[in-house]
Amino acid sequence: IVGAYTYTKHWCLNNFFGIAICVQALENLSLGKYKTGAILLAGLFLYDVWWVFGTEVMVTVAKSFNAPIKLLFPKTFDSPEAAAQFSMLGLGDIVIPGILIALLLRFDAYNAGATTHSFH
């Protein structure tokens, strides 16, 4: 699969690797406190407002960096692949809220008395 992605740079393979990176990040990263997650989420919200919507820096970097750091969604399916335009979603926009949701899931499991999950 890596060879096919390296050769073709197809958006489906890009998304496959991007989703795999997101899943690994959510499995390996965890927060200890809700307050930490809330501060992280609020800080990254302000970061996104400034760098993504206030300037063109992040869009320029995301478009010029050809690696699975973003998920790509074609705007239309009727155009040839070379001329296709894509909407982008950065992996951080999936992973950071996902870490907070995983913390809340562990907390709910702890409150329900589940023995397979632990809350630290």
Side-chain angles (χ1 to χ4, degrees):
I1 294 177
V2 174
Y5 173 72
T6 304
Y7 180 72
T8 65
K9 302 289 186 189
H10 194 271
W11 65 272
C12 286
L13 294 173
N14 179 81
N15 290 355
F16 174 79
F17 285 113
I19 291 168
I21 291 168
C22 286
V23 169
Q24 283 297 313
L26 290 173
E27 287 179 353
N28 294 316
L29 300 174
S30 66
L31 295 173
K33 296 182 181 182
Y34 171 76
K35 184 178 178 181
T36 305
I39 291 170
L40 180 66
L41 206 57
L44 288 173
F45 172 74
L46 296 174
Y47 171 88
D48 268 359
V49 167
W50 173 256
W51 286 106
V52 176
F53 301 113
T55 67
E56 290 294 319
V57 172
M58 292 300 286
V59 174
T60 303
V61 169
K63 285 183 178 179
S64 64
F65 196 70
N66 198 3
I69 59 167
K70 60 195 174 282
L71 298 182
L72 299 171
F73 302 98
K75 292 183 178 180
T76 61
F77 285 102
D78 58 354
S79 63
E81 184 70 28
Q85 293 184 355
F86 294 95
S87 296
M88 297 181 292
L89 178 64
L91 299 185
D93 295 328
I94 299 169
V95 172
I96 300 302
I99 292 171
L100 182 62
I101 291 169
L103 172 69
L104 297 176
L105 177 65
R106 287 195 321 270
F107 181 71
D108 281 346
Y110 175 78
N111 282 340
T115 58
T116 57
H117 295 88
S118 64
F119 180 73
H120 303 286

